[in-house]
């Protein structure tokens, strides 16, 4: 049996949390997050890990990255992920 897919969500505002809930509802695999703010969220129990450092988060074996942080931060996160060959979903 193959390993489950691993998804990184960069940003856990309302859009990031919606994608997290959808991935879990679909039983799509393991979901981890990169976030710079650590305010409590209801969906925290759905995560298999949280990172405060983007480079550390991208060093994990990822199948895809959901870029859901503020729009002004999309490009730096997406560029670093593409340098590492990670598939992107930008929302």
């Amino acid at each position: 049996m193959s390993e489950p897919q691993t998804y990184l969500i960069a940003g856990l505002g309302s859009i990031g949390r919606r994608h997290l809930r959808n991935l879990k509802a679909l039983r799509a695999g393991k979901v981890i997050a990169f976030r710079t703010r650590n305010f409590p969220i209801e969906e925290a129990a759905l995560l298999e890990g949280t990172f405060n450092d983007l480079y550390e988060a991208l060093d994990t074996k990822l199948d895809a990255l959901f870029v859901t942080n503020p729009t002004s931060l999309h490009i730096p996160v997406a560029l670093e992920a593409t340098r590492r060959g990670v598939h992107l979903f930008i929302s």
Side-chain angles (χ1 to χ4, degrees), residues 12-29:
L12 286 175
S14 62
I15 293 171
R17 291 192 317 269
R18 181 182 320 144
H19 287 300
L20 170 59
R21 289 189 305 269
N22 289 343
L23 286 166
K24 294 314 258 183
L26 292 169
R27 297 181 182 179

Side-chain angles (χ1 to χ4, degrees), residues 15 67-76 90-91:
I15 293 171
V67 182
T68 62
N69 56 350
T71 306
S72 63
L73 302 174
H74 280 9
I75 296 213
I90 301 175
S91 179

Side-chain angles (χ1 to χ4, degrees), residues 20-80:
L20 170 59
R21 289 189 305 269
N22 289 343
L23 286 166
K24 294 314 258 183
L26 292 169
R27 297 181 182 179
K30 179 179 170 183
V31 182
I32 59 176
F34 161 64
R35 57 192 307 213
T36 57
R37 298 181 187 166
N38 288 319
F39 56 86
I41 60 168
E42 288 180 28
E43 297 85 356
L46 299 175
L47 292 166
E48 280 86 9
T50 304
F51 296 87
N52 296 102
D53 181 270
L54 176 63
Y55 302 102
E56 186 180 337
L58 290 171
D59 283 343
T60 62
K61 183 181 179 295
L62 298 175
D63 294 291
L65 164 63
F66 284 71
V67 182
T68 62
N69 56 350
T71 306
S72 63
L73 302 174
H74 280 9
I75 296 213
V77 171
L79 285 175
E80 188 58 37

